[in-house]
Amino acid sequence: MDRRTPLVPLRYITLPGHGPEDVVADPRGRVLTGVADGRILRIDGLDDPPAARVEHIAEIGGRPLGLELLPDGDLLVCCAEGALLRVDPEGRTGNVRVLTESAAGERLRFCSNVVALPDGTVYFTVSSRVHPLEDWMGDLVEHTGTGRLLRLEPGAREAEVVLEGLQFANGLARGADGSFLIVAETGARRLTRYQLTGPRAGRVEPLVEQLPGFPDNLWRGAPDGPVWVALAGPRVPALDLLHRAGPAVRRRAARLAAKAPYRPSGTTGVLAVDDDGRIVHHLTHRRSGFRMVTSVCETGGRLVLGSLWERGIAVCEAPVTK
């Protein structure tokens, strides 16, 4: 059931940097995010956004995208330029360690999002093997299907390819029982389920299809809570038609898209889904001043929204999940 309700009110916290693409909350309710110049920031004081405190805790030397907090307080960071990093948020000077820069003998590019399992295994996505972050629109238009899901075993220096052929692989979340992963395929407007354990291990199947927008980063806080899905923009029917055209037509359209100025839709949206693929919340705000929601996390009864486009984060009240 699609429970569509307004996403209001939105309160804004301005950051000293552009494009907080992913947001995650730590056990103390502080929010961590990465901005375009490579800094990792921590925001405290969501109760009073005008007085919120913003702390610079690390710098990775590239464009941070997806984040994952580990039980020991360290932070996994996907660097868009092609690396998976581990950051000590208390290091103050950046304490950044490279975990891997390659998969199956190929240098990584466009690392997008990451999750860690209790045994130390890490899964992460590569959105495209053709287009870099700065040409993300080109990949959505061309519909390359070159996204990947990768696995890095504890102590390994090179990642293993688990899934290929994904349409702009993006956000990741674990199932509540840890038996599967949920992968956001932005270019296909779907969430895909990848089975980790049991007799169906390795099986891939759709979890939710025909989403009302383009899914980006995913967030699961409490194991028994829903998975929050950021919708970076609403469905574009013309793009659906283009995806049915041949590869040559899509490539030409992608080249044109790369030259066209981009302005995101004014519609803000997030979803919450359960492990059976049911939509339990669909929150929207038309004509929103906060555009292109690329991430959402929940903390202290609030939703925090991040955006590749904005110069800050937005905070609103979280709905009650029954």
Side-chain angles (χ1 to χ4, degrees):
M1 179 177 175
D2 186 349
R3 302 176 181 176
R4 189 174 307 198
T5 55
L7 181 66
V8 289
L10 290 175
R11 292 168 289 166
Y12 194 74
I13 298 176
T14 302
L15 299 178
H18 177 266
E21 195 270 346
D22 196 13
V23 288
V24 296
D26 71 11
R28 294 171 55 182
R30 301 173 300 180
V31 171
L32 292 94
T33 190
V35 290
D37 64 8
R39 287 176 298 153
I40 306 296
L41 306 177
R42 185 163 55 202
I43 304 105
D44 196 7
L46 299 182
D47 291 337
D48 186 10
R53 298 174 296 283
V54 181
E55 181 184 8
H56 169 208
I57 59 173
E59 190 161 351
I60 69 165
R63 206 316 175 188
L65 293 178
L67 311 174
E68 168 87 334
L69 270 168
L70 298 173
D72 65 2
D74 277 7
L75 186 70
L76 297 178
V77 181
C78 287
C79 178
E81 288 76 17
L84 179 65
L85 311 174
R86 182 170 180 143
V87 175
D88 175 7
E90 306 304 329
R92 305 288 297 183
T93 58
N95 199 355
V96 177
R97 180 159 58 96
V98 177
L99 296 182
T100 187
E101 296 178 294
S102 63
E106 178 183 316
R107 187 169 177 83
L108 296 174
R109 69 184 305 174
F110 206 162
C111 295
S112 192
N113 206 266
V114 57
V115 295
L117 304 189
D119 67 358
T121 302
V122 173
Y123 286 83
F124 63 106
T125 54
V126 166
S127 292
S128 174
R129 296 169 66 197
V130 176
H131 297 275
L133 172 63
E134 55 268 25
D135 190 24
W136 61 266
M137 178 61 78
D139 198 272
L140 291 184
V141 171
E142 188 176 346
H143 212 48
T144 68
T146 58
R148 284 174 157 182
L149 175 65
L150 306 178
R151 175 171 57 216
L152 185 68
E153 298 287 354
R157 293 294 298 171
E158 183 166 275
E160 173 189 357
V161 179
V162 175
L163 289 179
E164 295 191 276
L166 300 175
Q167 290 292 352
F168 205 94
N170 207 326
L172 278 174
R174 290 173 58 205
D177 63 1
S179 68
F180 64 93
L181 295 178
I182 301 170
V183 186
E185 290 189 75
T186 305
R189 288 193 295 110
R190 70 176 168 233
L191 304 181
T192 296
R193 176 179 174 133
Y194 173 72
Q195 195 69 31
L196 292 172
T197 64
R200 298 167 65 245
R203 181 171 176 176
V204 182
E205 59 189 359
L207 180 67
V208 189
E209 296 187 279
Q210 299 298 317
L211 289 168
F214 297 97
D216 205 295
N217 288 315
L218 308 180
W219 162 268
R220 167 165 253 149
D224 58 348
V227 173
W228 283 100
V229 184
L231 297 178
R235 172 178 175 255
V236 180
L239 192 59
D240 293 342
L241 290 174
L242 179 62
H243 286 170
R244 301 188 191 114
V249 173
R250 298 198 308 270
R251 282 195 294 271
R252 288 195 296 270
R255 288 195 292 269
L256 291 173
K259 299 176 183 178
Y262 175 74
R263 181 169 177 79
S265 163
T267 299
T268 296
V270 299
L271 299 173
V273 302
D274 66 17
D275 281 358
D276 294 317
R278 291 185 292 259
I279 295 176
V280 295
H281 296 294
H282 180 187
L283 310 180
T284 63
H285 188 181
R286 296 186 63 190
R287 301 183 180 87
S288 170
F290 190 86
R291 297 169 181 261
M292 196 177 179
V293 176
T294 52
S295 56
V296 54
C297 70
E298 184 176 5
T299 180
R302 297 171 180 81
L303 295 180
V304 181
L305 312 182
S307 168
L308 189 67
W309 182 264
E310 298 288 345
R311 291 194 62 89
I313 60 174
V315 183
C316 63
E317 298 303 313
V320 176
T321 301
K322 298 180 180 180

